[in-house]
Amino acid sequence: MNNTDVDYMTHAINLATKGLYTTHPNPRVGCVLVKAGTIIAEGWHQRAGHPHAEQIALKAVNNHAQGATAYITLEPCCHYGRTPPCSKALIAAGITRAVIAMQDPNPQVAGKGIAQLKEAGIQVDLGILEHKAQALNPGFNKRMTYGLPWVCCKMAMSLDGRTAPATKERQWITSSAARHDVQLLRARSAAIMTGIGTVLADDPALTVRIQATELPGLEPNMPLPNPLRVILDSRLRTPTKAKILQDSGRTLIICGTNADPQKIAALTAAGATIKQLPETSTGQIAIESALRWLAKQEINEVLLESGSILAGAVLEAGLVDEMIIYMAPHIMGDNAIGLFHLSNINNSKQRIALEISEIQPIGTDWRIRAQPVYINRETKP
Ligand code: AOF
Ligand code: ZN
């Protein structure tokens, strides 16, 4: 049976997926070169500053691809970034057809790469498996389009939707299999965000603690992903001895403009980077401005690992793109704390609707993946 465009693009998407843990702030991209029904070369983007997927595939054929078709998960770049333009390299190599899953949302490219290919007489077919290509890079796409990172809110709950006992006592809700799964979410994220409430209550380290061999695409000698840890802490109550400041990872504390200069100095000395941003009228960090600032630092994907108060605030602000909820086989009862603290919901009309896209067993728990259905929000795709 002959392979089809969909087969080759599926292969290119699988190649791009190898960059899941390493490419940020760049997108994950895969490329397959096909000539006379045979794959002659392939490539995927591994790291920012390293060659793009197309350049790797072209190098494998010494830049000779006369009459070939290039299957690429993202429009080839046409600008000089950290690397030279792929559009020109593909043209020079002599391809005659390009099958491209999606246009590059990067304003420096945004259709201009495709236009260059067409001007050179190359046939371009755009949109094959576009939804799958989009799903490779939710954060890159959102940052380029809206100036905001993509936010995944991770929480753990009992079957009756409780996330923590009302007492200060802290215990794992979910099994070790679910906690291992969270490590994979952390490893793909550019930043892990939490609130001062969680830092004071749980003293989490928020690091990636996993074997490199468990992360596809990572070579054994490559360092583990090291996401930026971000604390929203308007009055700088983070203790200088907090675990989140203790290892070699990077920690950013976002505080208000009136934060105490002595605390800024002490936390800076303890290894944190401090960013002051204006508070809201109620003295909280404005979440959207914090996220916009993170996007300016090229943060694509943010994993929100917080308690119910910050999670509720981010959800209410319309800034949660996806939630991943681990549901454990327990009943905690209604003395325990609910999953999201939503102070503005008073009747059923104000409910936040969800689309559940996946439910999967993870050890003895269940992983629920859901997207809030926000209506009329400019920041939503
Ligand atoms: C591609 N193929 O494999 C990638 C692309 O700084 P640079 O040179 O690495 O350029 C980064 C930009 O290039 C990135 O923002 C995106 O628009 C595009 N990434 N393009 O054709 C690739 N990684
Ligand atoms: Zn490129």
Side-chain angles (χ1 to χ4, degrees):
M1 200 180 81
N2 285 343
N3 284 325
T4 63
D5 285 350
V6 169
D7 295 327
Y8 291 125
M9 189 59 86
T10 301
H11 186 47
I13 285 172
N14 290 340
L15 289 167
T17 307
K18 293 184 176 206
L20 186 64
Y21 300 105
T22 54
T23 63
H24 63 76
N26 273 2
R28 299 132 187 158
V29 182
C31 172
V32 177
L33 297 177
V34 175
K35 195 167 171 178
T38 304
I39 294 180
I40 56 168
E42 55 188 44
W44 54 281
H45 186 55
Q46 192 176 33
R47 267 185 193 277
H50 288 208
H52 288 179
E54 303 90 315
Q55 303 276 10
I56 289 179
L58 287 173
K59 193 171 174 217
V61 287
N62 290 323
N63 292 308
H64 293 303
Q66 271 76 18
T69 297
Y71 292 84
I72 324 165
T73 59
L74 185 71
E75 173 185 7
C77 66
C78 54
H79 66 298
Y80 286 87
R82 301 170 186 94
T83 63
C86 294
S87 53
K88 295 211 168 117
L90 288 163
I91 295 166
I95 67 158
T96 46
R97 183 175 174 233
V99 182
I100 298 169
M102 61 176 279
Q103 188 171 307
D104 187 345
N106 182 349
Q108 290 178 287
V109 185
K112 296 192 278 285
I114 290 175
Q116 281 186 6
L117 298 182
K118 285 186 177 166
E119 275 160 32
I122 294 168
Q123 180 193 332
V124 177
D125 293 301
L126 177 66
I128 308 261
L129 295 186
E130 174 163 5
H131 60 290
K132 290 203 170 167
Q134 293 272 5
L136 281 169
N137 295 303
F140 176 80
N141 297 341
K142 188 165 179 212
R143 173 166 71 88
M144 288 295 166
T145 311
Y146 298 98
L148 280 165
W150 181 81
V151 177
C152 173
C153 173
K154 168 252 144 183
M155 303 213 79
M157 69 172 190
S158 59
L159 188 140
D160 57 341
R162 307 286 153 172
T163 191
T167 60
K168 290 266 179 246
E169 162 226 359
R170 295 286 151 177
Q171 247 198 340
W172 294 118
I173 296 180
T174 50
S175 64
S176 59
R179 298 204 299 278
H180 180 265
D181 201 59
V182 171
Q183 289 289 321
L184 299 177
L185 293 181
R186 285 184 184 173
R188 67 170 284 170
S189 303
I192 303 171
M193 190 163 90
T194 194
I196 180 62
T198 299
V199 172
L200 294 176
D202 296 353
D203 194 19
L206 299 184
T207 46
V208 174
R209 297 181 296 272
I210 198 169
Q211 302 293 324
T213 47
E214 292 180 78
L215 300 175
L218 236 75
E219 284 152 25
N221 56 350
M222 281 170 77
L224 275 175
N226 189 8
L228 176 70
R229 297 168 296 183
V230 181
I231 313 171
L232 299 189
D233 179 9
S234 53
R235 284 175 287 139
L236 288 185
R237 290 186 293 149
T238 301
T240 51
K241 297 241 157 7
K243 276 198 201 132
I244 202 165
L245 301 175
Q246 296 316 314
D247 54 47
S248 59
R250 300 157 301 142
T251 305
L252 169 73
I253 305 180
I254 300 183
C255 65
T257 42
N258 296 326
D260 178 349
Q262 280 186 347
K263 290 187 175 167
I264 295 180
L267 286 163
T268 306
T273 303
I274 311 289
K275 173 68 188 170
Q276 292 182 274
L277 287 175
E279 301 104 318
T280 61
S281 54
T282 53
Q284 255 104 36
I285 305 292
I287 295 160
E288 182 160 339
S289 65
L291 289 172
R292 284 199 186 278
W293 192 77
L294 290 175
K296 287 210 176 80
Q297 316 309 305
E298 298 192 301
I299 298 289
N300 288 342
E301 296 182 13
V302 171
L303 183 66
L304 179 63
E305 289 200 53
S306 73
S308 60
I309 294 180
L310 180 57
V314 183
L315 183 60
E316 214 151 47
L319 293 162
V320 170
D321 293 282
E322 179 166 86
M323 44 181 85
I324 295 190
I325 313 284
Y326 296 91
M327 183 177 74
H330 306 288
I331 303 284
M332 290 171 81
D334 56 10
N335 288 334
I337 298 168
L339 204 54
F340 292 97
H341 176 72
L342 296 168
S343 53
N344 292 330
I345 296 193
N346 298 307
N347 61 53
S348 58
K349 274 200 191 130
Q350 296 169 319
R351 289 177 298 189
I352 296 171
L354 302 176
E355 271 169 18
I356 294 180
S357 54
E358 181 198 271
I359 299 187
Q360 201 182 315
I362 306 277
T364 51
D365 304 316
W366 292 84
R367 185 179 68 199
I368 303 168
R369 192 184 288 270
Q371 290 78 35
V373 183
Y374 295 115
I375 299 165
N376 295 336
R377 278 207 53 93
E378 272 176 26
T379 52
K380 293 290 125 188

